[in-house]
Amino acid sequence: MKKKINLTFALVILLVISIVSFGSVFLLLLMNPAVRFSDREGSAYGTSEKEIDAENINEVYLNNISMCGIDISTYEGEKIKLIYTDSSKFGVDTQVSDERLDVEISEKRGFMIDIFGRVGRTVKIKLPNTYKGALTIKSDAGSTDIYGDYTDINIDSDAGAIDFKGTADSLIVDCDAGHIDVKAKLGSADIKSDVGAVNLKLEGELKGKYTIESDVGSVDVRLPEDADVFAEVSTDIGSIDNRYKFENIEIDKGSYFRAKNKEGKADLNISTNVGSVDIE
């Protein structure tokens, strides 16, 4: 009887370990920028394209309740274009109201992960290069790539890599799991990451407040030369490595760093619970 109980207990423990292991692998795949979600029958379908008049639109609101990549860029045209896989499993719905374009991407049934990074299912949104409005993106899972110049960008992602290159008056990112890579000229930034590395390369003149909060993951920040900035950095578990030539380093104690360059007009605040911080 005792042996039977021990065997049952061992099987339960093995089942729990298996579930946790599968969940961890799935999460790591989502965090990998190379991972894309692709349709089982994608090769049997072509692509669809929608065009929307951009003249009176000041915001594009994208709700990705599917598991696919999002690719937003600008082009020399007058219409907003949406290009996506034409499949019975995959839907893209649009609606225009109050100067806002709403795009909902839905998964109807079935998906698979392409772990080798081959071209997978991606919704491409091409905006006229004259569009200088806002972008709001809510995504359940999948990579988000944005290129171009905008006013405000707000990204809320449950899982998936985020890549932005361009300019924005303000950038807000809230990511539960995924690598965040930003190379941009920004008026301000507020980046929050639960799990995943954050790379931020700031370009041009710094004017506002730039905040990075990370629970688990390294933070790498590149500042423009001769930036007028005040920096405050802290980490609970991890190191702080500063290679930027601040004129005045006030505190450098390993887990806490504070410095100022010029008059310190812009504010840079970085905090991590677990992870190293590099500034250059």
Side-chain angles (χ1 to χ4, degrees), residues 21 49 70 89 103 105 114 125 156 186 212 228 239-240 257 263 276:
S21 299
E49 182 174 319
I70 305 298
K89 297 180 180 181
V103 181
I105 304 168
D114 179 358
I125 301 177
D156 186 350
L186 302 171
I212 301 175
D228 195 340
S239 61
I240 299 174
F257 177 84
E263 297 180 8
S276 62

Side-chain angles (χ1 to χ4, degrees), residues 83-153:
I83 304 169
Y84 55 94
T85 303
D86 186 9
S87 169
S88 60
K89 297 180 180 181
F90 188 54
V92 176
D93 298 319
T94 61
Q95 181 178 348
V96 177
S97 62
D98 297 328
E99 299 183 341
R100 188 175 95 169
L101 169 62
D102 288 276
V103 181
E104 183 170 288
I105 304 168
S106 59
E107 185 78 32
K108 295 181 180 179
R109 57 186 178 88
F111 72 93
M112 68 176 293
I113 301 175
D114 179 358
I115 61 175
F116 299 106
R118 295 189 297 269
V119 176
R121 186 161 43 192
T122 301
V123 173
K124 294 183 178 180
I125 301 177
K126 294 185 175 295
L127 300 169
N129 53 17
T130 55
Y131 177 81
K132 304 300 180 184
L135 293 177
T136 302
I137 300 169
K138 295 181 68 67
S139 179
D140 286 355
S143 59
T144 301
D145 298 322
I146 303 174
Y147 306 92
D149 304 333
Y150 308 96
T151 53
D152 304 319
I153 298 177

